[in-house]
Structures are given as C-alpha cells and as structure tokens.
Amino acid sequence: MATDLPNILVMGPPLIFPDFQSQYSHSYNFLTFFASSLPLPQYLSSLNILPSSIRAILCNNMQRVPADLLRSLPSLALLVTTTMGTDHIDMPECRRLGVRVATAGGSFSEDVADFALGLLIDVLMRISAANRCAKKWLRSELPRNIPPASRVGGKRVGIVGLGKIGTEVAKRLEPFGCKIMYTSRTKKSSVPYPFYGSAVEVAAESDVLVVCCSLTEETHHIVDRAVMEALGKEGVIVNVGRGSLIDEKELVRRLVSGEIGGAGLDVFQNEPLVPCELLSLDNVVLSPHAAAVTSESFHHIMELVAATLHAFFENKPSLTPVMQD
Amino acid sequence: MESIGVLMTSPMLSYLEQELERRFKLFKLWNYPSFSAFAQSNSPSILAVVGGTTIGADAQMIDSLPNLEIVSTFSVGLDKIDLTKCKQRGIRVTNTPDVLTDDVADLAIGLALAVLRRICEADRFVKNGFWKKASPELGVKFSGKAVGIIGLGRIGSAIAKRAIAFGCPVSYNSRTEKPETGYKYYSNILDLAANSEILIVACALTKETYHIVNRKVIDALGPKGILINIGRGKHVDEPELVCALTEGRLAGAGLDVFEDEPEVPEQLFGLENVVLLPHVGSDTIETSKEMAELVIQNLEAHFLNKPLLSPVI
C-alpha cells in the first residue's frame, strides 16, 4: 500500500538497516526488496508501487546493483551505499543515468586498518590458535600443537593499494619495525616507502602482503598464482579489501598444501560462503567481513545516511556531514 | 666445558636443550620425580642453573646446590629467582632483556585488538559456520582509545610507541616519572585506571607490584575498560578480575599470564570478551632462538672468565 512517505528501495541489506528502519519508520517507506525472491518489477507491482516513485536506493555490497535494475527506475537520483567500495554497483550506468552514488568515503579507514593490523599480528603470533590451546594448557606439558609463532618486527610488509586504508595501515606498522613497501596504481611522491609497479614485484620483496585496494576490473585477482609464488612458502596474506582481489581457489590450494605460510581473511569471493578447507587451519584467521564493524562506525554511518537522505528528500543542503560521492 | 653440570629446570625450548647438551653435561629436572630426588644424587655436580618462567631458582634450590656459580634465566623476569640468596652466595645471575621487548609489546597490542575488535571470536564464528545464519557483532574501535601503561620500562615504552601510531593518547604509572617521554604521568595508579580505556600491565613483578591491579583499580577502570596483562599473573588479583569479568564490571581482558600457571580460571573459558593465551609472550621462533643464544653465551662467558653479556648480579 502506497503511503505519503518517500519510498526507499533497500537492498543488501546494510548492517544498520534494522536500527535505521525502526528509527526512521515515520520518515520513509522502506521497501525491503532484499528479502524478496521476486524480480524488481514484480516485487513493486505486488505492493502497488510504481517504479517511477522510487528516487532513492539504500544498499550495501551484499547484493549487486546492475544496469538493468537501475534502468528500470526512471526517477532514481540517489544511491546510498554504506560501504567504501562500489564494486557491487554498475557505476558507468549510474553516471550515464545521472544517479548520484553516495558512499561511506574514508569513514572506516581507521577501523579497517586497525583490523588489518589485528589480523596480521594474530596470524604471525598465532593469537587465535594459542587462545584455543589455553583450555588444554593444564593437561599438557606444552600446548605446542599450534604452528610456531613468528616475529612481526623486521618483517617486510607489502601493501597492495596505498589508498585511504593502505596509508593508515602503513602508519600503524611503522613502530613495529616492519619494512614497508607498496604497489598502487600510481606512485605517491610524498610517501617514504619503496614503490613497486606490480603486485608480483612487491610480493617478491615481501614476507607479508596486506591487500587493501578497491575492486575494479584491473584489480580482479590482483593476487594471483604468480604473486603467491613470488611471496613464497613462508609468506602471509592479509585481505581486508574484497574477496575477488585474490584468486581464492589458488590461495586455498596453497594453504592446504603448505605452499604459503598463513592468511588473515576478512573477505571472500562468495560471502558468506567460506571454503570449507580453511575452517580447520590453525595458520588461518577468518572474520565475517567485520573490518569496519565497530559501534563507533555503526553510529557514524547511521548519522551520515540519515543526513544524506534527509538533505536529498528535503532538497536542502545539510547542516551536518553527509556522505561523499 | 663438557664436564660442567648444568641443570635445566623445564623443557622451555628444544633448541636450547640441544645446544646445552652439546656444550655441557645437561641435567633435565623434569626427568626426576621432584627437585629433592634430583638433588640427592646430583647436587654437587651442578655449577649452573638454566631457569624459566615456571621454575627458576628459589632459596631451597640454591641452598641444595653447593657448587652453583651462575643462574641464567630464559626470561627477562626475575621473579622466580631468589636474588638475595644469589647475592649472599656470590652467584651470578643473567636474564634475556631487549631481545624479547618487541615481541611482548606486539603481543600487548595484538591482544588489545583481539579483545576490542573481537578477532578470536570472529575466527570461531566463521569456523563454526555461524556466518550463514547471523551477522558479526559490533566491535569497539581501537584507534584513539586512551591507553594506560603500568610500568614504562623497555616493554612499556615499546607498547607506548605502537599505541601512538594508532592515535591513542598514552599515559602511565611508574616508580619514577619520565618527563622526557612526553606521555602523561599519573603517580596514583587509580587515576591512571580512571583515565584509561585500555590498561596494560608491563612492569616487573616485585613485592611492591604484587596485586598492583586490585579491586579498586578494576573499579576505576570501569565497565567500558579492558585489561591487558603481559607481565606476570601475580600483578593482578585474579579472583577479583574473574569476578569483575563474569559480572560485567569490566568490558574485557587479554591475558597471557596467570597467578598459578598453567592453571587458568575455568570461569573465563566461556567468556567471548576474554582472550587467554598460555604464556606465549616471546615465543616467536626468532626471539626464542635469540634468547637461547643469550643464555648460552652468558654461560660460556662465565666459564671462560669473560664479562657476562646480560648480568643482573
């Protein structure tokens, strides 16, 4: 049933959605398309809602926003994604149609960088694995059924993508005594770390790779078999970018066969599905795309989304920060 | 030196065991039912003791070894060695400072991140298959949190340096103020706890610092605070800590040490906001090897009448 409230098509859904929905149910009519198995046109007609009444979408990366969906909403003007990345959105089509895409911008950079460091230290020093052993400590002489821990200090760390997140990762790594280097689309002249033109080159000089770049056509499988080969048997990979930045099948194969030292993975090619071979490995630390998930970032993004949608529908500039394009 | 009797108190590292065996006549205490059983037949043979964090060289042991010349501990902590007795007897003591400073500092930060960002919990969540049915819980942001360090020695300073890179304001409590560091000093540990969100124990264990983290400090740290202990278990009133955690009066804890290792309070096992480690502190391959080498070099220097590398007495 149509109401007077502006319609917002919700896809994903974003982690904030349940809270956002209850807080703003008097301001917007949320169309919970993410919960429907119908294609969009049938979903809307089942609710007697005209496609032309939809001016805004709220989403995250759990569902793709493809060209045909965008084209089916003639009045669509704003797409709000609670993510930093836009790889789930057909951006060229948005540009073509004049749909503004609002993202979380750099809001999560610190949280994601913190998490990358947490995964890196955990994998090298075997924190999660040793935590599992603590219960058995009393009963065994030495709980050394875990792979041996390795120093963080002195490790050569190659950052794949020195954008907002990569920069924060590098800053945090410095006092740990790591040798930092990077590969990125372009060399950053103001940065003191050695630059390498490709992922293979940086991997050859690294003990650890931290993958933080955005996912594009160019960076799909940027960490491929050649890169993993160059990194070597003792190498460790931390991924807080997107699952498809790594050839996941090849990574799993190498982890199982011992051709790579370990991995800290927050993202996967087919979330929430995780290759089952990884579930029993002590040299692998896994997390459910949680690198940006803190109560601070949660509340921050709630405010940003609220201000952005409010300014849009009121057609007035916002007095508080809104999301970046 | 192959006839020199060296007593190793526990199987702390196989590399160290092998190297000691190659150079000296090595006795392994864990192969005997008790210290007295060992001492009965072997005490005069022992010129050196290699101690560790579980068994060091206490008064009873020192008294039973009439020819003991040197105690070389595989640790930086000296709390398991009766230093007074050693001084009286003219026994030299060496430890393993500096080589493990970075590892322990790294672990302190790693533990704080693990607790605040729920990393171990996340690993369990995914590995137990829960992601298909549920979303991750919200963690607490680490960057920018107020870090309070108890003890600004080698390890405390290394922790401070790392915390700063995360934008964390650092304050500390120490025996003496160190104004050259630029960090905020609190002469009263309660004030330190009250002004910290993450409290890290990094001092040496002495009579003065026994139970330095007691009920009052825990209360001052408060329900949003987390405690990280990479010092010694006895720095913390463990029953009080367990109570505070089970009652929710503390937001979480990361503990590498316990009052009565290897016993870990069972009530802590079920708590998602607590990360427990079996005293791994400086157990990386690289550091263990360097510590072992320092122990050996100190022993060799002593028996060759050369200056000790890392003497305490």
Side-chain angles (χ1 to χ4, degrees), chain A residues 194-244:
Chain A
F195 167 78
Y196 292 89
S198 72
V200 170
E201 288 170 83
V202 82
E205 304 298 322
S206 301
D207 304 305
V208 179
L209 285 182
V210 181
V211 185
C212 347
C213 53
S214 53
L215 180 62
T216 64
E217 262 166 35
E218 292 79 40
T219 61
H220 181 265
H221 282 198
I222 191 174
V223 178
D224 59 8
R225 162 181 292 217
V227 170
M228 292 184 234
E229 189 68 40
L231 185 62
K233 264 194 65 171
E234 317 271 298
V236 166
I237 297 182
V238 171
N239 189 4
V240 292
R242 284 288 179 268
S244 299

Side-chain angles (χ1 to χ4, degrees), chain B residues 133-149:
Chain B
K133 313 162 207 159
S135 300
E137 296 280 347
L138 298 181
V140 172
K141 184 171 184 167
F142 177 74
S143 279
K145 288 290 183 293
V147 170
I149 304 176

Side-chain angles (χ1 to χ4, degrees), chain A residues 114 151 172 284 286 291 296, chain B residues 117 123 127 139 143 145 287:
Chain A
D114 288 353
R151 258 186 194 163
R172 283 154 177 71
V284 168
L286 306 174
E296 289 87 343
Chain B
R117 299 302 309 271
D123 189 47
K127 287 179 176 169
S143 279
K145 288 290 183 293
T287 297

Side-chain angles (χ1 to χ4, degrees), chain B residues 5-7 27 32 35-49 60-68 89:
Chain B
V6 174
L7 175 66
F27 294 83
Y32 297 81
F35 176 73
S36 355
F38 163 80
Q40 248 175 12
S41 16
N42 300 295
S43 55
S45 317
I46 302 301
L47 273 62
V49 166
Q60 186 213 8
M61 182 188 289
I62 296 169
D63 280 339
S64 317
L65 302 174
N67 298 318
L68 182 61
R89 285 264 306 266

